[in-house]
Amino acid sequence: MEKLKVGVLGATGAVGQKFIRLLDNHPWFTLVAVGASERSAGKSYAEATHWIETSEMPDFVKEMTVKNCTPEAMADVDFVFSGMDAAVAGEIEKDFASNGIPVVTNARVYRRDNHVPLLVPEVNPDHIGQIPFQRFDSNGRGFIITNPNCVCVPLVLSLKPLHDAFGVDKVLVTSMQAVSGAGYPGVPSLDIMGNVVPNIGGEEEKIMWEPLKLLGSVGDNGIVSNASIAIQASAYRVPVVEGHLLSVTVGFKTKNVSAADAISVIQNWVSPIAELNLPSAPKQPLKYFEDPAHPQPRLHVWNERGMQVSVGKMRASGVLDLAFTALGHNTVRGAAGGAVLNAELLVNKGYIKARA
Ligand code: NAP
């Protein structure tokens, strides 16, 4: 297959840089355009970007000229990834979709839109059935697809097998979130070194709502009926570079679910997209650790190239039914890597194709 031509909007930011890293030698996609704000447009990518990745900036991108984020400036792409600031993403992403260019975004703006899928391919692949109902582009070629908040990915991936088996009823979740989740320069060092900040603006609302859409079902009208689950979330910023760690307590509709039952369900769960062999899909999207001191961000966040969600310490809860730990890489699985996997699913299902 000839590679599809892709652009990255917000390519200079923390998530944008992860896109660059993940698109280096991608088997299906080739990066042909990078876009950012007016501050960066016209400069070479190397000049415009304060590179924060732990691997070298790939040579192929260094001399690319950063463009303005407009469909005219990126007319040669087949689709775009977006890692733009949410404050500006709405209008720009709509502009691309209206001009027939599919947008695969990390920004939150369209996550609640009635016909925009909020997608984690292993959780709700059927939600791509919402796309034909979108009306951004009268020709139906441009559309928007979103991935969820970075905490919601490890949360819904770990809940999905349990929800299918026992019916999740109530969730209490406390997230311990890495500083890279705030972008660059992010949280001031004096606020976070040797400290924990017990508030992340707007985060708890997203964690309490997005799982309901992700675990909901799509109707014939392309609208999702949200899952009926009560969620209480608390979000804390901790001095960790990469990886959001979650403490989850869960109650089920089914009575008397034991920790052993839940572990067995997680270990035997098969992802609904396993047979598609998508290039970025982890072989094992969900792994259970027997050691109660695992998973840990520093030890496990890069498992399966940052695409695996790790679970551990499943035990009985004195408040609801069970409690466990979950971990996900916030800028890979929870952002750029999740978006690349979303795009691969859309290519496999024929929604994204060459435009020429
Ligand atoms: P960031 O490091 O602050 O990067 C923001 C990017 O947006 C930069 O490339 C910036 O370009 C660009 N930008 C700003 N104003 C623009 C404009 N007017 N037109 C075009 N581009 C503009 O932020 P981030 O952490 O990468 O987050 C990016 C998005 O992903 C946000 O919507 C965020 O909520 C979401 N997200 C982040 C994470 C995470 O873990 N970090 C996880 C999930 C989702 P310049 O360099 O030119 O200013």
Side-chain angles (χ1 to χ4, degrees), residues 10 12-15 36-37 39-40 83-86 88 180-181 183-184 330-331 334-335:
T12 52
V15 172
S37 77
R39 289 182 291 281
S40 308
M84 280 183 296
D85 225 317
V88 298
S180 57
Y184 187 85
N330 53 302
T331 53

Side-chain angles (χ1 to χ4, degrees), residues 46-116:
E47 194 188 349
T49 305
H50 177 79
W51 187 253
I52 56 171
E53 284 295 311
T54 49
S55 60
E56 287 284 307
M57 182 186 287
D59 284 336
F60 74 92
V61 75
K62 286 181 181 164
E63 293 310 318
M64 287 177 78
T65 301
V66 178
K67 303 185 180 202
N68 284 310
C69 291
T70 64
E72 296 76 26
M74 296 197 181
D76 54 341
V77 301
D78 294 314
F79 73 102
V80 289
F81 288 112
S82 168
M84 280 183 296
D85 225 317
V88 298
E91 283 306 307
I92 297 174
E93 291 175 354
K94 187 162 87 180
D95 209 14
F96 274 83
S98 311
N99 279 277
I101 301 174
V103 178
V104 181
T105 182
N106 286 281
R108 65 173 176 271
V109 187
Y110 293 99
R111 288 179 190 158
R112 287 178 183 247
D113 188 288
N114 266 346
H115 291 130
V116 172

Side-chain angles (χ1 to χ4, degrees), residues 159 168-173 229-232 248-252 254-257 315-323:
L159 288 179
V168 171
D169 190 27
K170 295 187 177 77
V171 175
L172 305 170
V173 54
I229 301 173
I231 304 179
Q232 175 63 49
V248 186
T249 306
V250 58
F252 300 112
T254 304
K255 294 294 155 217
N256 303 319
V257 177
R315 61 211 188 274
S317 160
V319 180
L320 298 176
D321 291 314
L322 296 177

